[in-house]
Amino acid sequence: QVQLVESGGALVQSGGSLRLSCVASGFAFHLYDMSWIRRPPGKGLEWVSGIRSGSIMTNYVDSVKGRFTISRDDARNTLYLQMNGLKPEDTAVYYCARGRSESTYYDNDIDQGTQVTVSL
């Protein structure tokens, strides 16, 4: 079955950096577009970034443009999110999912996630 395991979340000070990873199994990872989605405390899911299969195209929500970079390693079945210049408003549980955009990511892939907390 499809399994997506996120890791790399931590408590970090404002301005700091983190790299999140998502290891995929149970499906042909290289054939799928992928996304990162987050849930801030007390709020709903927010799509953050997407990447096409083949890594040719990426897109981001405006609030993270220039600070976050999505990438993938198809040989390792792994999706990454490099987060620089972190702000307190980036605090959230981060999830990965199949699909590349806010309207196309797979809701059913949202599972455990990894916690990112940014302090002042």
Side-chain angles (χ1 to χ4, degrees), residues 47-50 58-62 64-66 68-71 81:
W47 175 87
V48 175
S49 180
T58 60
N59 50 334
Y60 302 88
V61 68
D62 285 348
V64 308
K65 284 180 180 177
F68 290 11
T69 303
I70 189 172
S71 62
L81 186 68

Side-chain angles (χ1 to χ4, degrees), residues 46-92:
E46 177 188 34
W47 175 87
V48 175
S49 180
I51 185 168
R52 291 287 297 272
S53 62
S55 303
I56 295 175
M57 291 181 63
T58 60
N59 50 334
Y60 302 88
V61 68
D62 285 348
S63 60
V64 308
K65 284 180 180 177
R67 300 188 297 122
F68 290 11
T69 303
I70 189 172
S71 62
R72 63 192 298 162
D73 183 342
D74 289 345
R76 298 178 184 270
N77 284 358
T78 302
L79 179 72
Y80 300 102
L81 186 68
Q82 178 67 43
M83 305 188 296
N84 298 329
L86 283 161
K87 303 176 181 180
E89 52 263 44
D90 295 318
T91 294

Side-chain angles (χ1 to χ4, degrees), residues 30-45:
H30 67 287
L31 295 179
Y32 280 81
D33 301 340
M34 297 293 297
S35 281
W36 286 99
I37 300 100
R38 66 187 179 187
R39 189 194 300 274
K43 298 184 180 180
L45 292 170

